[in-house]
């Protein structure tokens, strides 16, 4: 059951990261390319983009918290895993 939750959270982040890439966010480097950010015609379009970014950030935060919970529950050294090159924790984007 724990594996299913972590997999679901990771899938959600992968799905939402595609939207973030469309908005100009590079999920690998954590940097924005403002030239790719869409020009909105209405405030509701901008609000939709803001909500997409917020949902991505919320999913990343939930994933981070859950991986930390699993790491402490099962005694996994997160820093050691990162040094081994394993992608353990996603980082949320900086604000626009």
């Amino acid at each position: 059951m724990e594996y299913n939750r972590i997999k679901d959270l990771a899938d959600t982040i992968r799905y939402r990261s595609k939207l973030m890439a469309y908005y100009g966010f590079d999920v690998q480097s954590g940097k924005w390319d403002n030239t790719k950010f869409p020009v909105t015609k209405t405030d509701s379009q901008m609000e939709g983009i803001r909500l997409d970014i917020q949902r991505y950030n919320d999913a990343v935060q939930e994933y981070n918290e859950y991986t930390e919970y699993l790491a402490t529950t099962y005694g996994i050294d997160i820093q050691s895993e990162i040094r081994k090159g394993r992608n353990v924790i996603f980082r949320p984007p900086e604000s626009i």
Side-chain angles (χ1 to χ4, degrees), residues 6-22:
I6 199 77
K7 184 180 178 313
D8 288 344
L9 288 170
D11 288 344
T12 300
I13 290 171
R14 263 188 236 103
Y15 170 76
R16 296 201 183 280
S17 67
K18 291 177 186 175
L19 257 175
M20 298 301 289
Y22 174 76

Side-chain angles (χ1 to χ4, degrees), residues 20-25 31-39 96:
M20 298 301 289
Y22 174 76
Y23 295 147
F25 180 70
K31 304 225 186 259
W32 286 95
D33 180 0
N34 293 334
T35 60
K36 291 183 179 179
F37 197 82
V39 176
I96 300 175

